[in-house]
Amino acid sequence: MSTPTTLTAAEAAAREGDFTVVDVRSPGEFAGGHLPGAHNIPLDRVKEAADTLRAAAERAPLLIVCASGARSANACAQLASLGIAAAGLEGGTGAWAAAGNPLERPAGARPVWPMDRQVRLVAGSLVLIGFLAGLAWPPAHWLSGAIGAGLVFSGVTNTCGMAAVLGRLPYNRGAAGCPTFDETRRRLAA
C-alpha cells in the first residue's frame, strides 16, 4: 500500500502500527507529548540522520510529525530531496490529540510552547523593545529593523535562525528519561 504525502489524524490512527513515527520538534516539545512510539529527530538534524532514516524507511513507511504540520512538511521535503519517502501528519500532534488520540509523555515532563510560538514571542518582544528604546535613543530602531529583516529572510528561505538558537535553550532540550539524539538513531537503526 502506498503512503500519501500527508495523512489526517484519522488515517494515521487507522494505520498506526504500519509506520515508523519520527517527531521533528525540539526535544523539549517532544517531551511535552508525542505520538505513541515516536522517535525524536529534531528538524535541524534530519539531514544528519538521513542514513538512519533511510534504513528505517526501508523497513516501514515513515510518518513525520511536528506540532502543526509545517516542520514535518519541511522535513518531508528534505527527505524527498535525499530520495527518502515520508508522509507528514496533517495538523501535527495538535490534530492528533484533538481527534482524541493518546499522547505519550515521560514522567515529570512539562509541556513546552511550540517553537513557532516561542519565535513569535521573542521576535515580537525584540521589535517592541527596539521601538520603545528608539523613542529615547533613535538608533535603537535598528533592532526592530534587524528583526524584521531576519523574519523576511526566514520566510524566503524557509529556515529560522532564531528557532535554531531557541532550540538550544535548556527547556527545549528534553526531559530526563527522553532518549538523546544518538540513542534515537541507534533505536531507529535496530
Side-chain angles (χ1 to χ4, degrees):
M1 179 181 224
S2 67
T3 303
T5 305
T6 61
L7 286 92
T8 65
E11 292 168 335
R15 295 181 53 197
E16 188 175 349
D18 296 346
F19 295 103
T20 297
V21 181
V22 177
D23 193 315
V24 294
R25 297 175 297 158
S26 72
E29 291 175 282
F30 178 80
H34 54 270
L35 273 67
H39 302 276
N40 185 221
I41 301 287
L43 179 60
D44 62 344
R45 300 191 80 178
V46 165
K47 286 190 177 178
E48 184 180 343
D51 291 339
T52 304
L53 293 169
R54 182 183 323 281
E58 290 172 1
R59 292 189 303 275
L62 296 179
L63 178 62
I64 309 297
V65 181
C66 66
S68 64
R71 284 178 279 180
S72 59
N74 184 323
C76 286
Q78 287 183 44
L79 292 170
S81 74
L82 299 170
I84 303 169
L89 178 62
E90 188 178 298
T93 55
W96 178 266
N101 297 308
L103 293 176
E104 289 182 351
R105 290 178 180 83
R110 296 180 330 177
V112 174
W113 282 5
M115 189 57 66
D116 64 322
R117 185 175 179 190
Q118 292 180 46
V119 168
R120 289 193 312 263
L121 174 70
V122 172
S125 297
L126 290 172
V127 168
L128 181 60
I129 288 167
F131 172 77
L132 293 175
L135 295 175
W137 185 59
H141 282 129
W142 284 103
L143 174 62
S144 299
I147 297 300
L151 291 171
V152 169
F153 178 80
S154 176
V156 169
T157 63
N158 199 26
T159 62
C160 186
M162 189 177 290
V165 171
L166 291 172
R168 288 174 169 66
L169 294 175
Y171 60 84
N172 279 323
R173 291 193 179 184
C178 282
T180 65
F181 175 73
D182 291 329
E183 289 170 354
T184 299
R185 287 182 66 187
R186 281 192 292 277
R187 289 179 183 181
L188 280 169

